[in-house]
Amino acid sequence: MWIDTHCHLDAHEFGGESLAVAGQAAEAGVSMIVIPAVDRYNFDVVAQLAATAPNASYALGIHPMCVPNATADDLALLRTKVDAAMGDPRFVAIGEVGLDFFIPMLTEPAMRDKQDHFFRAQLRMAREFDLPVLMHVRRSQDQVLKHVRQIRPAGGIAHAFNGSFQQAQTFIDLGFKLGFGGAMTFSRALQIRRLATTLPVEAIVLETDAPDISPVWIHPARNSPVQLPAIGMALAEMRGVSAAQVAHITRQNALAALPRLSALISG
């Protein structure tokens, strides 16, 4: 049984098929899908979806790509929602949060400062509620590491990791797992494949980031959590181990990174 630690199952690309897709993923062996929020407009949406799909859970946070339009009121609302959600067993983390220095507009000085402010505020929230974080680290690994050293949350996941071995080791040393998905199925993705095959397997969790980051065999079509077992099998082939071994250890890693999942599924 597999765990998809990062899937935007509420995204418009799924239309009205989100519950059906979750059911298809369950039939394929995906025992849990973690659905992160991205802004105030889907805080309730992801919670309701997780309440409806038996194999779903959720996180609440403000995505760095949504920071340009976010306000202090959004942070206040997030804290209120997190406080209320602590009694919901399907609420497992703060996320998706972090920094994005890939999109040019987000690299402008004022927007970098705003991203820093929102990320640090959400790290403090995670620390206050003793929650792990699902972190967006695109072109921003060193800056993310700087902030999590200063404001240490209760672990979590560096989602869609594509940094250096040194950066990977630093995240691991700080207690984080690293998310790998469809990108590592492309033969040209040499650095990601090297990371996926040589990092300690105890540091790796699997994710789809659906509907994005489709694996090579369906690219450029819409990604889906149904693809997670095949992504896991690709990792097993790269590491020269069985799919069952990869499923077991990445499941245990996900439960370690997101402890509240343990109340939803057996280890």
mmCIF file of all heavy atoms in Angstrom, residues 20-62:
data_model
loop_
_atom_site.group_PDB
_atom_site.id
_atom_site.type_symbol
_atom_site.label_atom_id
_atom_site.label_comp_id
_atom_site.label_asym_id
_atom_site.label_seq_id
_atom_site.Cartn_x
_atom_site.Cartn_y
_atom_site.Cartn_z
ATOM 1 N N ALA A 20 -13.909 10.235 -7.608
ATOM 2 C CA ALA A 20 -13.718 9.043 -8.441
ATOM 3 C C ALA A 20 -12.235 8.718 -8.584
ATOM 4 O O ALA A 20 -11.836 7.544 -8.517
ATOM 5 C CB ALA A 20 -14.344 9.259 -9.816
ATOM 6 N N VAL A 21 -11.409 9.754 -8.760
ATOM 7 C CA VAL A 21 -9.967 9.541 -8.882
ATOM 8 C C VAL A 21 -9.401 8.967 -7.583
ATOM 9 O O VAL A 21 -8.574 8.047 -7.600
ATOM 10 C CB VAL A 21 -9.257 10.857 -9.258
ATOM 11 C CG1 VAL A 21 -7.747 10.718 -9.134
ATOM 12 C CG2 VAL A 21 -9.637 11.272 -10.674
ATOM 13 N N ALA A 22 -9.853 9.493 -6.446
ATOM 14 C CA ALA A 22 -9.399 8.951 -5.161
ATOM 15 C C ALA A 22 -9.778 7.481 -5.039
ATOM 16 O O ALA A 22 -8.984 6.666 -4.550
ATOM 17 C CB ALA A 22 -10.000 9.752 -4.007
ATOM 18 N N GLY A 23 -10.977 7.136 -5.485
ATOM 19 C CA GLY A 23 -11.393 5.740 -5.447
ATOM 20 C C GLY A 23 -10.559 4.861 -6.362
ATOM 21 O O GLY A 23 -10.185 3.740 -5.985
ATOM 22 N N GLN A 24 -10.235 5.362 -7.547
ATOM 23 C CA GLN A 24 -9.389 4.602 -8.466
ATOM 24 C C GLN A 24 -7.997 4.410 -7.877
ATOM 25 O O GLN A 24 -7.393 3.335 -8.022
ATOM 26 C CB GLN A 24 -9.305 5.337 -9.802
ATOM 27 C CG GLN A 24 -10.615 5.372 -10.573
ATOM 28 C CD GLN A 24 -10.651 6.471 -11.629
ATOM 29 O OE1 GLN A 24 -9.639 7.124 -11.905
ATOM 30 N NE2 GLN A 24 -11.818 6.691 -12.204
ATOM 31 N N ALA A 25 -7.491 5.455 -7.202
ATOM 32 C CA ALA A 25 -6.183 5.333 -6.562
ATOM 33 C C ALA A 25 -6.219 4.282 -5.465
ATOM 34 O O ALA A 25 -5.271 3.492 -5.317
ATOM 35 C CB ALA A 25 -5.749 6.683 -5.998
ATOM 36 N N ALA A 26 -7.287 4.246 -4.684
ATOM 37 C CA ALA A 26 -7.416 3.236 -3.633
ATOM 38 C C ALA A 26 -7.400 1.834 -4.230
ATOM 39 O O ALA A 26 -6.736 0.926 -3.706
ATOM 40 C CB ALA A 26 -8.695 3.468 -2.833
ATOM 41 N N GLU A 27 -8.096 1.648 -5.331
ATOM 42 C CA GLU A 27 -8.109 0.346 -6.006
ATOM 43 C C GLU A 27 -6.726 -0.030 -6.508
ATOM 44 O O GLU A 27 -6.377 -1.216 -6.574
ATOM 45 C CB GLU A 27 -9.106 0.366 -7.165
ATOM 46 C CG GLU A 27 -10.564 0.464 -6.719
ATOM 47 C CD GLU A 27 -11.517 0.611 -7.887
ATOM 48 O OE1 GLU A 27 -11.037 0.572 -9.051
ATOM 49 O OE2 GLU A 27 -12.723 0.777 -7.645
ATOM 50 N N ALA A 28 -5.919 0.969 -6.849
ATOM 51 C CA ALA A 28 -4.556 0.732 -7.338
ATOM 52 C C ALA A 28 -3.564 0.496 -6.201
ATOM 53 O O ALA A 28 -2.404 0.182 -6.452
ATOM 54 C CB ALA A 28 -4.092 1.906 -8.193
ATOM 55 N N GLY A 29 -4.023 0.679 -4.947
ATOM 56 C CA GLY A 29 -3.150 0.421 -3.808
ATOM 57 C C GLY A 29 -2.666 1.660 -3.080
ATOM 58 O O GLY A 29 -1.766 1.568 -2.246
ATOM 59 N N VAL A 30 -3.254 2.815 -3.380
ATOM 60 C CA VAL A 30 -2.865 4.055 -2.700
ATOM 61 C C VAL A 30 -3.763 4.215 -1.474
ATOM 62 O O VAL A 30 -4.933 4.582 -1.596
ATOM 63 C CB VAL A 30 -2.977 5.271 -3.636
ATOM 64 C CG1 VAL A 30 -2.553 6.541 -2.910
ATOM 65 C CG2 VAL A 30 -2.119 5.057 -4.881
ATOM 66 N N SER A 31 -3.207 3.939 -0.308
ATOM 67 C CA SER A 31 -4.005 3.926 0.912
ATOM 68 C C SER A 31 -4.255 5.309 1.478
ATOM 69 O O SER A 31 -5.160 5.491 2.298
ATOM 70 C CB SER A 31 -3.330 3.056 1.974
ATOM 71 O OG SER A 31 -2.039 3.556 2.283
ATOM 72 N N MET A 32 -3.455 6.297 1.073
ATOM 73 C CA MET A 32 -3.652 7.652 1.588
ATOM 74 C C MET A 32 -3.128 8.671 0.590
ATOM 75 O O MET A 32 -2.064 8.484 -0.014
ATOM 76 C CB MET A 32 -2.942 7.829 2.942
ATOM 77 C CG MET A 32 -3.186 9.169 3.611
ATOM 78 S SD MET A 32 -4.933 9.612 3.834
ATOM 79 C CE MET A 32 -5.528 8.213 4.798
ATOM 80 N N ILE A 33 -3.892 9.763 0.443
ATOM 81 C CA ILE A 33 -3.530 10.903 -0.395
ATOM 82 C C ILE A 33 -3.562 12.137 0.489
ATOM 83 O O ILE A 33 -4.586 12.409 1.140
ATOM 84 C CB ILE A 33 -4.531 11.081 -1.552
ATOM 85 C CG1 ILE A 33 -4.603 9.818 -2.424
ATOM 86 C CG2 ILE A 33 -4.177 12.293 -2.396
ATOM 87 C CD1 ILE A 33 -5.811 9.794 -3.358
ATOM 88 N N VAL A 34 -2.478 12.876 0.550
ATOM 89 C CA VAL A 34 -2.432 14.109 1.333
ATOM 90 C C VAL A 34 -2.682 15.286 0.394
ATOM 91 O O VAL A 34 -1.958 15.464 -0.592
ATOM 92 C CB VAL A 34 -1.077 14.271 2.042
ATOM 93 C CG1 VAL A 34 -1.070 15.554 2.879
ATOM 94 C CG2 VAL A 34 -0.779 13.051 2.918
ATOM 95 N N ILE A 35 -3.710 16.081 0.709
ATOM 96 C CA ILE A 35 -4.135 17.184 -0.155
ATOM 97 C C ILE A 35 -3.789 18.511 0.519
ATOM 98 O O ILE A 35 -4.434 18.901 1.494
ATOM 99 C CB ILE A 35 -5.654 17.124 -0.408
ATOM 100 C CG1 ILE A 35 -6.096 15.722 -0.819
ATOM 101 C CG2 ILE A 35 -6.058 18.147 -1.471
ATOM 102 C CD1 ILE A 35 -7.609 15.535 -0.801
ATOM 103 N N PRO A 36 -2.773 19.224 0.045
ATOM 104 C CA PRO A 36 -2.424 20.513 0.652
ATOM 105 C C PRO A 36 -3.281 21.642 0.093
ATOM 106 O O PRO A 36 -3.613 21.662 -1.097
ATOM 107 C CB PRO A 36 -0.955 20.700 0.275
ATOM 108 C CG PRO A 36 -0.772 19.893 -0.958
ATOM 109 C CD PRO A 36 -1.811 18.824 -0.988
ATOM 110 N N ALA A 37 -3.623 22.587 0.951
ATOM 111 C CA ALA A 37 -4.268 23.811 0.499
ATOM 112 C C ALA A 37 -3.224 24.749 -0.095
ATOM 113 O O ALA A 37 -2.017 24.557 0.098
ATOM 114 C CB ALA A 37 -4.983 24.486 1.669
ATOM 115 N N VAL A 38 -3.707 25.768 -0.805
ATOM 116 C CA VAL A 38 -2.800 26.761 -1.397
ATOM 117 C C VAL A 38 -3.156 28.191 -1.016
ATOM 118 O O VAL A 38 -2.298 29.069 -1.048
ATOM 119 C CB VAL A 38 -2.734 26.631 -2.934
ATOM 120 C CG1 VAL A 38 -2.155 25.283 -3.335
ATOM 121 C CG2 VAL A 38 -4.090 26.860 -3.573
ATOM 122 N N ASP A 39 -4.414 28.450 -0.686
ATOM 123 C CA ASP A 39 -4.813 29.788 -0.258
ATOM 124 C C ASP A 39 -6.138 29.717 0.497
ATOM 125 O O ASP A 39 -6.713 28.638 0.643
ATOM 126 C CB ASP A 39 -4.894 30.772 -1.441
ATOM 127 C CG ASP A 39 -5.936 30.373 -2.481
ATOM 128 O OD1 ASP A 39 -6.908 29.665 -2.147
ATOM 129 O OD2 ASP A 39 -5.783 30.787 -3.645
ATOM 130 N N ARG A 40 -6.611 30.863 0.961
ATOM 131 C CA ARG A 40 -7.799 30.899 1.797
ATOM 132 C C ARG A 40 -9.030 30.341 1.089
ATOM 133 O O ARG A 40 -9.965 29.866 1.731
ATOM 134 C CB ARG A 40 -8.087 32.326 2.268
ATOM 135 C CG ARG A 40 -8.464 33.304 1.173
ATOM 136 C CD ARG A 40 -8.763 34.698 1.749
ATOM 137 N NE ARG A 40 -9.889 34.651 2.677
ATOM 138 C CZ ARG A 40 -10.026 35.501 3.699
ATOM 139 N NH1 ARG A 40 -9.107 36.427 3.934
ATOM 140 N NH2 ARG A 40 -11.084 35.423 4.476
ATOM 141 N N TYR A 41 -9.007 30.374 -0.247
ATOM 142 C CA TYR A 41 -10.185 29.969 -1.000
ATOM 143 C C TYR A 41 -10.346 28.454 -1.076
ATOM 144 O O TYR A 41 -11.409 27.978 -1.474
ATOM 145 C CB TYR A 41 -10.146 30.585 -2.400
ATOM 146 C CG TYR A 41 -10.091 32.088 -2.343
ATOM 147 C CD1 TYR A 41 -8.915 32.774 -2.644
ATOM 148 C CD2 TYR A 41 -11.196 32.828 -1.945
ATOM 149 C CE1 TYR A 41 -8.845 34.156 -2.562
ATOM 150 C CE2 TYR A 41 -11.133 34.217 -1.860
ATOM 151 C CZ TYR A 41 -9.962 34.871 -2.169
ATOM 152 O OH TYR A 41 -9.897 36.243 -2.065
ATOM 153 N N ASN A 42 -9.308 27.710 -0.725
ATOM 154 C CA ASN A 42 -9.520 26.257 -0.719
ATOM 155 C C ASN A 42 -9.248 25.609 0.635
ATOM 156 O O ASN A 42 -9.165 24.386 0.731
ATOM 157 C CB ASN A 42 -8.741 25.570 -1.848
ATOM 158 C CG ASN A 42 -7.260 25.424 -1.582
ATOM 159 O OD1 ASN A 42 -6.665 26.200 -0.839
ATOM 160 N ND2 ASN A 42 -6.661 24.418 -2.205
ATOM 161 N N PHE A 43 -9.141 26.399 1.701
ATOM 162 C CA PHE A 43 -9.009 25.802 3.033
ATOM 163 C C PHE A 43 -10.162 24.833 3.305
ATOM 164 O O PHE A 43 -9.948 23.695 3.714
ATOM 165 C CB PHE A 43 -9.006 26.884 4.124
ATOM 166 C CG PHE A 43 -7.803 27.781 4.143
ATOM 167 C CD1 PHE A 43 -7.828 28.962 4.874
ATOM 168 C CD2 PHE A 43 -6.642 27.471 3.440
ATOM 169 C CE1 PHE A 43 -6.735 29.802 4.917
ATOM 170 C CE2 PHE A 43 -5.535 28.304 3.465
ATOM 171 C CZ PHE A 43 -5.581 29.480 4.206
ATOM 172 N N ASP A 44 -11.394 25.303 3.097
ATOM 173 C CA ASP A 44 -12.555 24.456 3.371
ATOM 174 C C ASP A 44 -12.710 23.356 2.321
ATOM 175 O O ASP A 44 -13.160 22.259 2.634
ATOM 176 C CB ASP A 44 -13.828 25.299 3.429
ATOM 177 C CG ASP A 44 -13.871 26.219 4.641
ATOM 178 O OD1 ASP A 44 -13.150 25.942 5.628
ATOM 179 O OD2 ASP A 44 -14.624 27.211 4.605
ATOM 180 N N VAL A 45 -12.310 23.648 1.090
ATOM 181 C CA VAL A 45 -12.464 22.676 0.001
ATOM 182 C C VAL A 45 -11.642 21.416 0.270
ATOM 183 O O VAL A 45 -12.143 20.289 0.140
ATOM 184 C CB VAL A 45 -12.062 23.304 -1.344
ATOM 185 C CG1 VAL A 45 -12.083 22.255 -2.455
ATOM 186 C CG2 VAL A 45 -12.992 24.458 -1.697
ATOM 187 N N VAL A 46 -10.369 21.595 0.657
ATOM 188 C CA VAL A 46 -9.532 20.412 0.882
ATOM 189 C C VAL A 46 -10.011 19.637 2.107
ATOM 190 O O VAL A 46 -9.969 18.396 2.132
ATOM 191 C CB VAL A 46 -8.037 20.778 1.002
ATOM 192 C CG1 VAL A 46 -7.527 21.393 -0.308
ATOM 193 C CG2 VAL A 46 -7.757 21.702 2.175
ATOM 194 N N ALA A 47 -10.491 20.349 3.128
ATOM 195 C CA ALA A 47 -10.995 19.663 4.317
ATOM 196 C C ALA A 47 -12.239 18.840 3.979
ATOM 197 O O ALA A 47 -12.382 17.688 4.423
ATOM 198 C CB ALA A 47 -11.313 20.685 5.413
ATOM 199 N N GLN A 48 -13.127 19.408 3.184
ATOM 200 C CA GLN A 48 -14.345 18.693 2.808
ATOM 201 C C GLN A 48 -14.039 17.501 1.910
ATOM 202 O O GLN A 48 -14.654 16.430 2.045
ATOM 203 C CB GLN A 48 -15.312 19.658 2.118
ATOM 204 C CG GLN A 48 -15.891 20.712 3.064
ATOM 205 C CD GLN A 48 -16.532 21.887 2.340
ATOM 206 O OE1 GLN A 48 -16.569 21.930 1.104
ATOM 207 N NE2 GLN A 48 -17.002 22.857 3.105
ATOM 208 N N LEU A 49 -13.083 17.661 1.018
ATOM 209 C CA LEU A 49 -12.702 16.551 0.138
ATOM 210 C C LEU A 49 -12.098 15.409 0.948
ATOM 211 O O LEU A 49 -12.419 14.233 0.736
ATOM 212 C CB LEU A 49 -11.720 17.045 -0.926
ATOM 213 C CG LEU A 49 -11.253 16.040 -1.975
ATOM 214 C CD1 LEU A 49 -12.433 15.360 -2.661
ATOM 215 C CD2 LEU A 49 -10.367 16.744 -3.006
ATOM 216 N N ALA A 50 -11.238 15.757 1.906
ATOM 217 C CA ALA A 50 -10.637 14.724 2.752
ATOM 218 C C ALA A 50 -11.679 14.042 3.621
ATOM 219 O O ALA A 50 -11.551 12.848 3.943
ATOM 220 C CB ALA A 50 -9.540 15.331 3.618
ATOM 221 N N ALA A 51 -12.720 14.773 4.015
ATOM 222 C CA ALA A 51 -13.777 14.177 4.829
ATOM 223 C C ALA A 51 -14.632 13.221 4.017
ATOM 224 O O ALA A 51 -15.278 12.319 4.581
ATOM 225 C CB ALA A 51 -14.660 15.274 5.426
ATOM 226 N N THR A 52 -14.626 13.386 2.698
ATOM 227 C CA THR A 52 -15.503 12.597 1.832
ATOM 228 C C THR A 52 -14.795 11.377 1.236
ATOM 229 O O THR A 52 -15.403 10.318 1.077
ATOM 230 C CB THR A 52 -16.040 13.481 0.695
ATOM 231 O OG1 THR A 52 -16.597 14.674 1.251
ATOM 232 C CG2 THR A 52 -17.132 12.765 -0.083
ATOM 233 N N ALA A 53 -13.522 11.540 0.917
ATOM 234 C CA ALA A 53 -12.754 10.430 0.330
ATOM 235 C C ALA A 53 -12.111 9.618 1.450
ATOM 236 O O ALA A 53 -11.325 10.166 2.228
ATOM 237 C CB ALA A 53 -11.686 10.969 -0.614
ATOM 238 N N PRO A 54 -12.412 8.333 1.561
ATOM 239 C CA PRO A 54 -11.884 7.542 2.682
ATOM 240 C C PRO A 54 -10.365 7.479 2.750
ATOM 241 O O PRO A 54 -9.803 7.298 3.833
ATOM 242 C CB PRO A 54 -12.477 6.148 2.429
ATOM 243 C CG PRO A 54 -13.686 6.385 1.588
ATOM 244 C CD PRO A 54 -13.344 7.554 0.722
ATOM 245 N N ASN A 55 -9.696 7.638 1.618
ATOM 246 C CA ASN A 55 -8.237 7.538 1.600
ATOM 247 C C ASN A 55 -7.578 8.893 1.408
ATOM 248 O O ASN A 55 -6.552 9.021 0.728
ATOM 249 C CB ASN A 55 -7.771 6.559 0.506
ATOM 250 C CG ASN A 55 -8.180 7.012 -0.897
ATOM 251 O OD1 ASN A 55 -9.218 7.666 -1.073
ATOM 252 N ND2 ASN A 55 -7.392 6.666 -1.897
ATOM 253 N N ALA A 56 -8.155 9.942 2.035
ATOM 254 C CA ALA A 56 -7.591 11.284 1.880
ATOM 255 C C ALA A 56 -7.433 11.968 3.226
ATOM 256 O O ALA A 56 -8.192 11.738 4.162
ATOM 257 C CB ALA A 56 -8.461 12.132 0.954
ATOM 258 N N SER A 57 -6.426 12.838 3.286
ATOM 259 C CA SER A 57 -6.181 13.715 4.425
ATOM 260 C C SER A 57 -5.769 15.062 3.845
ATOM 261 O O SER A 57 -5.645 15.209 2.627
ATOM 262 C CB SER A 57 -5.101 13.143 5.334
ATOM 263 O OG SER A 57 -3.897 12.942 4.598
ATOM 264 N N TYR A 58 -5.535 16.057 4.719
ATOM 265 C CA TYR A 58 -5.280 17.382 4.168
ATOM 266 C C TYR A 58 -4.329 18.190 5.032
ATOM 267 O O TYR A 58 -4.086 17.873 6.201
ATOM 268 C CB TYR A 58 -6.586 18.154 3.968
ATOM 269 C CG TYR A 58 -7.299 18.564 5.239
ATOM 270 C CD1 TYR A 58 -7.227 19.873 5.725
ATOM 271 C CD2 TYR A 58 -8.073 17.646 5.951
ATOM 272 C CE1 TYR A 58 -7.896 20.251 6.880
ATOM 273 C CE2 TYR A 58 -8.754 18.018 7.103
ATOM 274 C CZ TYR A 58 -8.662 19.321 7.567
ATOM 275 O OH TYR A 58 -9.316 19.696 8.709
ATOM 276 N N ALA A 59 -3.780 19.243 4.400
ATOM 277 C CA ALA A 59 -2.940 20.227 5.075
ATOM 278 C C ALA A 59 -3.492 21.612 4.766
ATOM 279 O O ALA A 59 -4.185 21.803 3.760
ATOM 280 C CB ALA A 59 -1.491 20.111 4.593
ATOM 281 N N LEU A 60 -3.186 22.569 5.628
ATOM 282 C CA LEU A 60 -3.656 23.942 5.438
ATOM 283 C C LEU A 60 -2.464 24.891 5.381
ATOM 284 O O LEU A 60 -1.584 24.828 6.247
ATOM 285 C CB LEU A 60 -4.580 24.360 6.584
ATOM 286 C CG LEU A 60 -5.910 23.610 6.694
ATOM 287 C CD1 LEU A 60 -6.652 24.031 7.958
ATOM 288 C CD2 LEU A 60 -6.776 23.844 5.456
ATOM 289 N N GLY A 61 -2.427 25.731 4.365
ATOM 290 C CA GLY A 61 -1.341 26.679 4.243
ATOM 291 C C GLY A 61 -1.553 27.615 3.070
ATOM 292 O O GLY A 61 -2.497 27.454 2.290
ATOM 293 N N ILE A 62 -0.658 28.597 2.963
ATOM 294 C CA ILE A 62 -0.684 29.576 1.866
ATOM 295 C C ILE A 62 0.563 29.362 1.007
ATOM 296 O O ILE A 62 1.697 29.528 1.467
ATOM 297 C CB ILE A 62 -0.734 31.007 2.408
ATOM 298 C CG1 ILE A 62 -2.017 31.206 3.241
ATOM 299 C CG2 ILE A 62 -0.682 32.024 1.257
ATOM 300 C CD1 ILE A 62 -2.052 32.513 4.013
#
